[in-house]
């Protein structure tokens, strides 16, 4: 089949990431020949890349009018159907990928659908077969990394992400996934490096900023995190998460007074936030405002009675009342979150303390669960309590 000059130019431009000029070239080819398969398929791929699925379906339909058994067009349509919930389409994709002459897109589409369904091992096999056909396609390498990670093959997954990132100067997702994986492995400084690189590539920086700020906090640079959060708020002024992270980082940097305003902004932007209320309660405690602290904790608990953080802080407050006056309140506030998270060490420690004077057997039970905590301070308190219970 002879490829028209305009269609060939469209393919060249698209491989270079120049989507708008590529679309113009494909359109010119179709003006000359409305049944130009290369141009129709090129435009369909372009629309799929832009997530314009309705337009892609129309173009793929035109491909099938010219060639009813075109495997790539059938595969793209089957993937779209599968993503819309059609399980029969998954069978179609498996069938297309099983053909002796199956091509790159047959394996890629099957892998994407299986990955979305958490069928990781089979998805990885499909992506590996696609990679053999196009070794330097960064999309395939990224998808392969995502399939390998939940299989426990974290080193191989990281290698895929880094290779993918080296093959593109503009796509941020490989670097983002590499950063997430390194953070999971506890390699926070390296994760932060890749997250910053991802931010430099991202068109929609709002996706990157929250994770970047949290990584900066993990490095211990609270002031740097607060400055980055302030940058985030300039780009996304209506983001409640941005306001919360600015307030949290400012609080962690040792400036509770400065944290007050952004945390109140977070609550105004997201009235049902629990995290911002808990952080603001800590601000009020540091600023010697116990009434304000208690009010915020009770509000947070009302928003979500199963949330652990406000329940634990409230329990501490209630248990500090003289002569055990707040014991019943502590037990009451701890019961719903413990039902939701029965192994939470901090919840169990506080419940053990609340029950210590009235039900030693149950107190021991909760204290033993608290002993399993990864936090030394919780384990030490549980050890002391068990020793005192005898």
């Amino acid at each position: 089949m002879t490829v028209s000059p305009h269609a060939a130019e469209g393919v060249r431009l698209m491989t270079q990431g120049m989507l708008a000029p590529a679309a113009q070239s494909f359109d010119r080819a179709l003006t000359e020949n409305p049944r130009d398969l290369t141009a129709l398929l090129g435009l369909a791929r372009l629309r799929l890349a832009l997530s314009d699925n309705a337009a892609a379906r129309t173009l793929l339909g035109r491909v099938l009018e010219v060639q009813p058994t075109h495997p790539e067009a059938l595969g793209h349509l089957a993937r779209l159907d599968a993503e819309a919930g059609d399980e029969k389409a998954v069978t179609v994709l498996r069938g297309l990928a099983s053909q002796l002459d199956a091509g790159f897109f047959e394996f890629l589409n099957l892998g994407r659908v299986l990955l979305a369904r958490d069928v990781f091992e089979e998805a990885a096999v499909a992506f590996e077969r696609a990679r053999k056909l196009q070794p330097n396609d960064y999309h395939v390498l990224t998808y392969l990394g995502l399939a390998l990670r939940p299989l426990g093959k974290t080193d191989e997954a990281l290698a895929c992400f880094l290779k993918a990132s080296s093959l593109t100067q503009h796509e941020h997702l490989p670097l983002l996934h590499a950063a997430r994986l390194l953070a999971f492995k506890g390699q926070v400084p390296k994760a932060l490096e890749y997250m910053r690189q991802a931010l430099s590539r991202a068109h929609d920086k709002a996706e990157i900023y929250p994770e970047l700020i949290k990584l900066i906090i993990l490095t211990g640079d609270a002031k740097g995190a607060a400055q980055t959060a302030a940058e985030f708020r300039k780009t996304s002024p209506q983001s409640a998460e941005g306001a919360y992270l600015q307030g949290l980082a400012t609080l962690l940097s040792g400036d509770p007074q400065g944290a007050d305003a952004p945390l109140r902004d977070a609550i105004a932007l997201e009235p049902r936030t629990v995290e911002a209320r808990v952080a603001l309660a800590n601000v009020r405690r540091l600023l010697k405002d116990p009434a304000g602290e208690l009010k915020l904790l009770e509000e947070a608990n009302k928003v979500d009675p199963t949330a652990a953080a406000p329940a634990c802080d409230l329990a501490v407050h209630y248990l500090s009342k003289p002569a055990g006056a707040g014991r019943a309140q502590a037990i009451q506030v701890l019961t719903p979150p413990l039902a939701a998270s029965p192994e939470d060490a901090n919840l169990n420690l506080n419940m053990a303390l609340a029950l210590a004077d009235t039900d030693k057997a149950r107190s021991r039970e909760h204290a033993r669960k608290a002993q399993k905590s990864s936090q030394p301070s919780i384990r030490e308190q549980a050890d002391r309590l068990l020793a005192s219970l005898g």
Side-chain angles (χ1 to χ4, degrees), residues 58-351:
T58 299
L59 289 160
L60 292 167
R62 290 174 63 183
V63 171
L64 294 177
E65 288 175 5
V66 178
Q67 186 178 327
T69 60
H70 195 288
E72 182 183 334
L74 291 170
H76 289 316
L77 286 169
R79 177 175 65 80
L80 294 175
D81 290 340
E83 289 174 349
D86 184 353
E87 291 302 318
K88 292 181 181 178
V90 183
T91 303
V92 172
L93 287 166
R94 284 195 170 103
L96 290 168
S98 69
Q99 299 299 309
L100 291 176
D101 59 349
F104 171 79
F105 283 104
E106 286 83 276
F107 298 127
L108 177 62
N109 282 320
L110 175 61
R112 288 182 61 180
V113 166
L114 294 173
L115 181 63
R117 283 164 168 72
D118 295 342
V119 186
F120 300 117
E121 192 164 357
E122 190 179 350
V125 171
F127 292 134
E128 286 283 14
R129 296 182 72 180
R131 182 168 68 158
K132 287 181 180 178
L133 295 172
Q134 292 194 25
N136 292 325
D137 187 285
Y138 72 87
H139 294 101
V140 171
L141 285 162
T142 303
Y143 286 129
L144 179 57
L146 290 172
L148 292 171
R149 177 177 172 176
L151 295 174
K153 300 179 180 180
T154 54
D155 290 340
E156 295 95 323
L158 180 61
C160 286
F161 295 142
L162 295 180
K163 176 64 174 177
S165 72
S166 72
L167 294 170
T168 172
Q169 299 300 312
H170 307 290
E171 180 57 58
H172 72 283
L173 286 176
L175 287 166
L176 178 61
H177 291 306
R180 288 171 175 170
L181 180 51
L182 286 166
F184 171 78
K185 291 164 70 73
Q187 299 177 34
V188 175
K190 197 66 178 178
L192 180 58
E193 176 186 335
Y194 288 134
M195 192 69 75
R196 290 190 189 280
Q197 292 180 32
L199 180 67
S200 70
R201 293 184 179 186
H203 298 296
D204 180 9
K205 299 182 186 299
E207 178 188 1
I208 309 294
Y209 265 117
E211 292 184 78
L212 173 63
I213 295 162
K214 291 170 188 176
L215 282 176
I216 297 173
I217 289 174
L218 286 176
T219 66
D221 182 10
K223 288 185 178 179
Q227 291 170 356
T228 304
E231 293 174 12
F232 177 31
R233 294 194 69 190
K234 290 178 182 177
T235 65
S236 301
Q238 296 305 307
S239 171
E241 186 174 21
Y244 163 67
L245 289 172
Q246 184 184 15
L248 177 64
T250 304
L251 175 61
L252 293 173
S253 71
D255 181 11
Q257 189 70 57
D260 190 272
L263 289 172
R264 292 190 185 279
D265 288 345
I267 295 171
L269 289 164
E270 176 47 69
R272 293 191 60 78
T273 177
V274 170
E275 293 83 358
R277 282 187 171 86
V278 172
L280 188 55
N282 286 325
V283 167
R284 300 323 304 168
R285 175 177 55 80
L286 292 170
L287 295 178
K288 310 300 182 184
D289 179 13
E293 176 193 4
L294 180 60
K295 178 177 181 291
L296 285 158
L297 291 174
E298 289 179 337
E299 286 178 1
N301 180 251
K302 186 177 181 180
V303 169
D304 184 2
T306 67
C312 288
D313 288 350
L314 279 172
V316 170
H317 181 89
Y318 294 147
L319 291 173
S320 68
K321 293 182 179 181
R327 186 181 300 117
Q329 287 176 291
I331 294 171
Q332 182 180 14
V333 81
L334 290 166
T335 298
L338 261 175
S341 305
E343 302 305 316
D344 185 285
N346 200 20
L347 287 169
N348 276 288
L349 175 62
N350 280 285
M351 184 62 88

